Amino acid sequence: MDMSSRLALWQQLAESCGLSTVQQGLQQVWGLLLLCLVCRVCFRFVSGSTVKHLASALFGMYALFLFFELHMLWVLLLAALCYLVLLLSRHSSSKGVFLSVVILGFLLIGELHLIDVVTWHKIRGSQMVVAMKAISLAFDLDRGTVNSLPSPAEFLGYVLFVGSVVFGPWISFSSYKNAAEGRKLSWSWLQSCSFSFLKSQICLLVSTCISPYLFSLFIPIEGDSFTQKWLHAYENAVSFHFSNYFVGHLSEGTSMLAGAGFTEEKDNIKWDMSVVKPLSVEMPRSMVLVVTSWNIPMSRWLKTYVFKNAMKLGTFPAILVTYTASALLHGLSFHLGAVLLSLGFITYVEHVLRQKLASIFSACILSRPCASDCSHQHKKDYWVMLLNLVFSLLAVFHLTYLGSMFDPGVDEQEVEEGYAAIHTIQRWSELNWASHWVVFACWVFYRLIQ
């Protein structure tokens, strides 16, 4: 294909896909953005904390109605159930564990198809955000981080906060209370919100209009059937990655637009909420950093409220418990569960192997970058950088394999209902279960040098 033909196809793709994608994206979220802005103004200019919390809850309910219509009642039911459990267990020191069990039971009822499958999949994200907020509040009450059970208005204002109830992210109760205090409107706030929205739209365009055609139109690469399978897998993975970045940057924007997502040092306020780090995923140092950069608030939530509580079982069991909790929050979906549990094994093996190699060679080849004053003798030697590059390429290989099942070209009905188990098995078998075999080989090598 010559350059003129390729330019003509690019132009056709921009007109048929690019403009319609941006238009549809804006049509879907403009109502939410307006609600977030009104909430921000309310927090700033309305006096009385109870009125602010009620306004936050009402705006959140209306946002849920805009996206889910009457199916929003399932989200409200979960929120009411959470507060009832907290109220009944207010004198207990195990509110976090008890509430977690109740929420798990509620989610399992929905996952076991007692509720319409398509409906449940649509509201799953909001259910997860409400569940994470309620569980974090319960554990904070147990630990004394939050002194007393919030009032019903305060609780609903928090879990239904309009800036995060639809697309996320999880924010702590203290972050919500800081938002409700109503910091002054500023150009830096507006610029941060606008930049996050711009990044979200760019990511949406890449996911929808560029990634699926990456190696057929933009970077044409020829090869045999084996090469084509892996190139197609990489296209699927990148498309899925950028759809996640779209949601992540959009959630940054909605949260900051509604008044959350800032850090304060003396009188200086920085609107610096970060939900995703695309460069740390697409050009990773390690799978450990990929996991923490994929959804920063959720990673923090899992570390604070799951991993640390499970560490009494040991490191590897704690990792498995953490990824299992993440899989259950995401729903009883075979493909998500398979990916998350595979990630648990991959990150553990990578971590212990690099830790052992760093000790043997006294080199900065850990999963996370070393501090400038670390005790390793070899920091920036060429062979150290080469070894880190090998692990980076290995991480890209794992990401390609894991993301291969998220095919944007499959039937829309299948996507809405969740990929079937056979879809996952078929995709990974086409790639010869390569990532799992590599992880097993790395684990065997680690055991041999231990």
Side-chain angles (χ1 to χ4, degrees):
M1 184 185 297
D2 58 20
M3 183 55 69
S4 60
S5 300
R6 188 169 292 120
L7 287 173
L9 282 173
W10 290 355
Q11 182 179 359
Q12 184 181 356
L13 186 64
E15 293 172 353
S16 62
C17 180
L19 293 177
S20 62
T21 297
V22 172
Q23 184 179 9
Q24 290 174 10
L26 293 176
Q27 284 177 347
Q28 289 180 355
V29 302
W30 75 268
L32 176 62
L33 300 183
L34 182 59
L35 285 172
C36 291
L37 181 60
V38 174
C39 182
R40 173 82 166 95
V41 172
C42 179
F43 281 168
R44 175 61 183 166
F45 295 107
V46 172
S47 59
S49 59
T50 302
V51 177
K52 291 182 179 182
H53 297 314
L54 286 174
S56 175
L58 290 174
F59 290 140
M61 290 179 193
Y62 189 61
L64 289 171
F65 180 77
L66 286 178
F67 282 85
F68 311 124
E69 297 180 339
L70 290 179
H71 302 314
M72 63 171 278
L73 292 175
W74 290 108
V75 182
L76 300 184
L77 178 61
L78 175 61
L81 178 64
C82 289
Y83 191 78
L84 178 62
V85 171
L86 288 174
L87 189 63
L88 294 176
S89 61
R90 60 187 180 277
H91 299 302
S92 170
S93 60
S94 302
K95 290 183 281 291
V97 175
F98 186 48
L99 181 60
S100 300
V101 172
V102 173
I103 289 175
L104 178 60
F106 180 88
L107 296 178
L108 286 176
I109 290 173
E111 291 292 339
L112 293 175
H113 299 176
L114 298 181
I115 303 169
D116 177 61
V117 180
V118 175
T119 298
W120 189 257
H121 277 254
K122 286 180 179 178
I123 64 174
R124 179 186 281 168
S126 292
Q127 297 273 38
M128 182 168 65
V129 172
V130 169
M132 290 170 64
K133 287 181 177 179
I135 290 171
S136 66
L137 176 61
F139 277 110
D140 286 345
L141 286 167
D142 288 337
R143 297 169 181 174
T145 308
V146 176
N147 295 325
S148 59
L149 180 66
S151 66
E154 196 173 14
F155 176 81
L156 290 176
Y158 169 51
V159 298
L160 300 178
F161 174 57
V162 68
S164 62
V165 72
V166 178
F167 294 104
W170 167 79
I171 60 171
S172 66
F173 183 65
S174 60
S175 295
Y176 166 73
K177 289 189 71 175
N178 288 335
E181 290 177 6
R183 299 301 191 272
K184 66 179 181 179
L185 308 179
S186 64
W187 279 112
S188 62
W189 160 72
L190 189 58
Q191 288 171 354
S192 297
C193 298
S194 302
F195 189 48
S196 290
F197 295 139
L198 177 60
K199 289 188 290 185
S200 73
Q201 292 304 306
I202 292 173
C203 290
L204 179 61
L205 281 173
V206 173
S207 174
T208 308
C209 303
I210 296 179
S211 298
Y213 312 102
L214 189 60
F215 296 114
S216 58
L217 290 180
F218 296 96
I219 313 174
I221 298 177
E222 301 293 335
D224 55 19
S225 60
F226 176 81
T227 304
Q228 290 300 318
K229 279 193 300 187
W230 279 96
L231 291 177
H232 182 60
Y234 185 77
E235 287 177 340
N236 290 347
V238 171
S239 180
F240 174 64
H241 293 175
F242 275 85
S243 67
N244 176 71
Y245 307 150
F246 160 68
V247 174
H249 287 310
L250 180 59
S251 66
E252 291 171 3
T254 56
S255 295
M256 289 190 290
L257 189 62
F262 62 86
T263 54
E264 191 171 12
E265 296 178 2
K266 296 182 179 179
D267 294 330
N268 185 29
I269 295 177
K270 292 183 179 180
W271 297 91
D272 54 0
M273 172 174 273
S274 180
V275 175
V276 291
K277 291 182 178 179
L279 287 178
S280 297
V281 178
E282 301 307 319
M283 294 185 288
R285 175 186 173 90
S286 67
M287 288 299 289
V288 171
L289 290 183
V290 166
V291 169
T292 55
S293 303
W294 183 258
N295 187 323
I296 297 169
M298 184 162 195
S299 176
R300 190 182 302 126
W301 184 90
L302 287 168
K303 180 180 179 181
T304 304
Y305 301 105
V306 181
F307 182 76
K308 288 183 177 179
N309 287 327
M311 269 301 290
K312 63 186 76 172
L313 304 174
T315 303
F316 182 62
I319 291 174
L320 285 183
V321 169
T322 302
Y323 280 97
T324 301
S326 179
L328 290 173
L329 280 172
H330 283 87
L332 288 180
S333 172
F334 181 86
H335 71 286
L336 282 175
V339 168
L340 290 169
L341 290 178
S342 297
L343 272 173
F345 285 100
I346 291 170
T347 52
Y348 173 76
V349 171
E350 179 196 57
H351 170 71
V352 294
L353 175 59
R354 295 182 73 162
Q355 189 176 49
K356 187 64 179 178
L357 291 175
S359 176
I360 292 173
F361 296 115
S362 186
C364 294
I365 52 176
L366 294 169
S367 297
R368 298 177 182 275
C370 292
S372 57
D373 59 345
C374 71
S375 60
H376 294 134
Q377 295 179 4
H378 306 283
K379 300 181 185 296
K380 294 185 178 180
D381 299 39
Y382 287 116
W383 65 270
V384 172
M385 292 189 286
L386 180 61
L387 198 51
N388 281 322
L389 177 62
V390 169
F391 278 110
S392 294
L393 294 175
L394 188 59
V396 173
F397 161 76
H398 287 309
L399 286 169
T400 301
Y401 175 85
L402 294 174
S404 63
M405 72 180 70
F406 299 98
D407 191 345
V410 300
D411 181 63
E412 187 175 344
Q413 181 73 15
E414 184 178 0
V415 175
E416 288 184 349
E417 295 183 2
Y419 294 103
I422 190 64
H423 175 83
T424 303
I425 295 170
Q426 180 183 349
R427 285 287 184 269
W428 283 354
S429 62
E430 288 174 357
L431 300 177
N432 305 114
W433 303 92
S435 179
H436 290 94
W437 282 114
V438 169
V439 172
F440 178 69
C442 289
W443 179 78
V444 171
F445 178 63
Y446 162 71
R447 296 295 295 178
L448 289 174
I449 65 174
Q450 192 176 18

